[in-house]
Amino acid sequence: IQRHAGLRQEMLELLRGGILPGIDRADFKQFAKATWEFGIRSGRIFEKIQGGVFCSPAVADLVDRFRKAGSEAVVQSSWGPTIGVIFPSTEEAAKVAERACRDLPEETEIHVTTADNRGTRIETDFQLPQ
C-alpha cells in the first residue's frame, strides 16, 4: 500500500478535483477526462500482477478501440475483463460502439445501457409461504 501512496493521492485529487466537480456541474468533458485518468492510475497499481495497466491485451485493444472512436471515459472494472465506457447520451454511445466494435472477436459482448439511479433493490419470483 505504501509504495502506491503517490498514486492513491493522485486518484483522490482526480476524484475531488475532476470527477465530483464534473458531476456537480454537469460538465461531461471534465468528468470524462478525470475518470479516464483515474482508471489509468488504478490500473498502474496492478500492472505488475496483470502484465499491464489493463488485465489483458484483448482488453487493452478494446479500450484503445473506444478511445480512437471518440470515447474519453473508458475504465476497466476491477481486474477486468469488463470495461465501462461512459457517454453523455445513449445515442452517442450507440454511434461510438458501432465504430469501435467492428471486427471484434466473436466472444466479445457489447451492451449499451442507461444509468440506474434507483439504488439497490432485490427482485424475485419466490413467494414465502403464508
Side-chain angles (χ1 to χ4, degrees):
I1 298 288
Q2 191 61 25
R3 66 185 158 158
H4 298 296
L7 284 173
R8 180 183 179 277
Q9 187 58 40
E10 290 175 22
M11 292 169 74
L12 285 170
E13 290 170 11
L14 285 164
L15 180 66
R16 292 178 184 142
I19 295 172
L20 294 176
I23 292 169
D24 188 49
R25 294 186 206 118
D27 182 340
F28 184 78
K29 285 285 230 188
Q30 179 182 14
F31 167 79
K33 183 177 188 298
T35 298
W36 165 252
E37 294 295 332
F38 186 96
I40 292 298
R41 282 160 181 80
S42 178
R44 285 182 50 212
I45 293 171
F46 303 101
E47 67 186 332
K48 287 184 181 177
I49 297 166
Q50 63 187 11
V53 172
F54 299 104
C55 71
S56 71
V59 169
D61 176 63
L62 192 56
V63 168
D64 188 52
R65 286 170 176 263
F66 272 97
R67 295 280 295 169
K68 285 179 178 173
S71 305
E72 290 186 67
V74 184
V75 294
Q76 176 177 275
S77 67
S78 188
W79 277 17
T82 301
I83 65 166
V85 188
I86 307 164
F87 295 94
S89 71
T90 53
E91 294 80 20
E92 188 171 340
K95 284 183 212 173
V96 172
E98 184 179 328
R99 286 194 306 268
C101 298
R102 291 188 182 117
D103 304 317
L104 284 175
E106 191 174 305
E107 67 274 8
T108 305
E109 292 183 29
I110 305 295
H111 302 272
V112 177
T113 65
T114 59
D116 180 356
N117 294 325
R118 296 186 304 181
T120 303
R121 63 190 174 282
I122 298 173
E123 297 176 11
T124 181
D125 292 334
F126 176 77
Q127 296 292 322
L128 290 173
Q130 299 265 339

